[in-house]
Amino acid sequence: MAAAAAPIRSPAHFAQAIFWIWLHLLQFDVSNQTINPLEDEHNKSYRPLPAKRITLKNAITLRWALVPICWLVSSYFGRS
């Protein structure tokens, strides 16, 4: 996606873009799954919360820990 929207200066910048997108998608997905865990339990039982691979408390903690991490990564990558 990033490669189609702007020229790539180097393979390192492409890798940074892929990591940035993955990290923000992770934050979005964790946030989405903590909003209504019962829905996932019925529709998508393979996801981490319904499959009991992570507790709701830990998922919420991860969700909010990812917010400043996303900010820091965006700030760091924005300088290069």
Side-chain angles (χ1 to χ4, degrees):
M1 291 180 274
I8 304 220
R9 293 185 286 178
S10 70
H13 283 99
F14 183 71
Q16 286 178 350
I18 296 297
F19 176 71
W20 186 91
I21 292 167
W22 174 83
L23 185 65
H24 283 76
L25 280 174
L26 176 64
Q27 197 281 331
F28 174 80
D29 289 342
V30 172
S31 174
N32 183 39
Q33 291 179 40
T34 60
I35 291 172
N36 190 356
L38 293 176
E39 178 186 355
D40 281 349
E41 194 171 320
H42 295 294
N43 297 327
K44 298 179 180 175
S45 60
Y46 58 86
R47 286 186 170 177
L49 279 169
K52 308 291 186 224
R53 291 192 304 259
I54 188 170
T55 64
L56 180 59
K57 180 184 177 202
N58 287 342
I60 292 171
T61 301
L62 176 62
R63 171 192 179 184
W64 289 109
L66 283 168
V67 171
I69 292 170
C70 288
W71 289 340
L72 290 170
V73 168
S74 293
S75 175
Y76 177 76
F77 285 168
R79 295 179 199 192
S80 51

